[in-house]
Amino acid sequence: MSDADCAPNPTALTARALAQRPDVAPCTEATADPSGVPFTALDPRGLRAQRTSIKWSRFAEDVLPLFVAEMDFAVAPEIRRALVERVDASDLGYVDGPGELAAAFAGFAADRWGWRVPHDRVHLATDVATAVVEALRVGRPGGGRLALATPTYPGFFEMLEEVPFEVVEIPLAAEPSPPARARRRAE
């Protein structure tokens, strides 16, 4: 794999093309993906044309399946380089622990959130669902109640069947409801 293989799709919006669009605000690091495209300028039609994942290929064009957890933004150059290095080295086997990831996460957590994370407390999981279930098992082994904002990723309901928690759904509301005290007085 070469750098050319990782080049952005030529039909994608580029920073130069966006600079000519007065309807798009200028990018800052916090509002743009690594290729310079503002998060607000990602076009579902363009993504559907470029991507082959289930999010963009399984559903009709009028459906935006937000429950599928995948990145629609460009891959950061540092991540792309690391992946290409591993592929070039044919180093695609299983790992035996977090290795350098522990120090990288601890540094990130300290920098962003002021957390002090001991390296021996960083563990790998096969996927996010497994990590959530195992974290709940460790944090609340006796179970309890768990608030889950809905609609949400359908897999959450399946994975939570493995832990002794009562799931309390908190549905999305189009309009905020008045506080309970105010509702009682109005009735």
Side-chain angles (χ1 to χ4, degrees):
M1 182 175 265
S2 69
D3 286 341
D5 296 318
C6 296
N9 185 313
T11 62
L13 288 174
T14 63
R16 174 183 278 177
L18 287 167
Q20 298 170 2
R21 287 186 50 186
D23 59 316
V24 176
C27 292
T28 66
E29 188 174 316
T31 62
D33 79 357
S35 69
V37 175
F39 296 143
T40 57
L42 287 173
D43 180 8
R45 290 171 300 188
L47 290 168
R48 192 175 300 281
Q50 296 171 20
R51 306 292 170 94
T52 59
S53 63
I54 65 169
K55 178 176 181 178
W56 296 109
S57 63
R58 180 178 287 176
F59 302 94
E61 287 193 21
D62 63 338
V63 175
L64 182 57
L66 296 176
F67 67 89
V68 179
E70 72 177 47
M71 244 344 229
D72 290 330
F73 311 116
V75 175
E78 300 84 356
I79 295 171
R80 184 181 302 136
R81 275 193 298 279
L83 289 171
V84 169
E85 285 172 10
R86 295 301 87 215
V87 170
D88 284 347
S90 294
D91 185 10
L92 304 173
Y94 295 100
V95 295
D96 189 26
E100 295 176 14
L101 176 63
F105 176 74
F108 179 85
D111 180 55
R112 293 288 175 95
W113 307 309
W115 295 357
R116 207 174 137 259
V117 179
H119 296 186
D120 65 340
R121 298 300 302 249
V122 177
H123 303 279
L124 298 179
T126 55
D127 56 50
V128 173
T130 300
V132 168
V133 167
E134 295 307 317
L136 288 170
R137 284 185 176 140
V138 169
R140 294 282 307 225
R145 295 178 84 197
L146 182 69
L148 191 60
T150 56
T152 190
Y153 172 59
F156 284 148
F157 293 101
E158 294 167 19
M159 74 171 116
L160 293 173
E161 290 174 0
E162 296 185 33
V163 289
F165 281 82
E166 173 193 355
V167 175
V168 178
E169 293 185 40
I170 301 173
L172 177 67
E175 296 290 327
S177 60
R181 202 174 315 129
R183 278 197 311 266
R184 271 189 247 126
R185 270 191 250 133
E187 293 172 353

